[in-house]
Amino acid sequence: MSITLLYWILIALMLVGVVGAVVPGLPALPVGGPLLGILIGPLLGAFIGEFLSRRQLELELRLNAAFKASLGIVVGSLVGNLIQGALALATVIVFVFTTFPPGVAG
């Protein structure tokens, strides 16, 4: 087998992997997709967990405590994801500038 054929096989396998990763998520996009689930799952879990654990309180106080807990989870998740995205972007920028110093392309 020649090297050129191996490269084409490798490219075809990469394309199949990308299609296999993207296509199953397409039907969920009109309703928010996985991003919506990432936010709603912890929100409902924290609300229900806090609501059930505070059985000694009155209903209004239980709802207030559960809302605060679920709001804290959502804010913490969003801030954490933003920080993670910023660190990933910084990593890519550092990689590009250290791998391809200025003047190499010209």
Side-chain angles (χ1 to χ4, degrees):
M1 230 189 253
S2 70
I3 295 293
T4 307
L5 182 61
L6 288 175
Y7 284 136
W8 282 111
I9 291 173
L10 181 64
I11 290 171
L13 289 174
M14 285 191 285
L15 288 176
V16 167
V18 169
V19 169
V22 171
V23 170
L26 290 179
L29 287 179
V31 292
L35 294 177
L36 191 60
I38 288 172
L39 291 176
I40 288 181
L43 175 93
L44 287 177
F47 186 85
I48 292 170
E50 189 70 24
F51 186 78
L52 292 177
S53 71
R54 303 282 182 154
R55 293 184 185 183
Q56 72 276 10
L57 297 177
E58 297 177 12
L59 179 63
E60 185 177 334
L61 293 174
R62 286 171 68 184
L63 288 173
N64 193 15
F67 176 74
K68 285 182 182 179
S70 60
L71 184 65
I73 290 290
V74 169
V75 170
S77 295
L78 288 176
V79 170
N81 286 337
L82 288 175
I83 291 172
Q84 186 177 6
L87 290 174
L89 183 63
T91 303
V92 169
I93 290 171
V94 167
F95 171 76
V96 167
F97 279 114
T98 56
T99 304
F100 307 110
V104 171

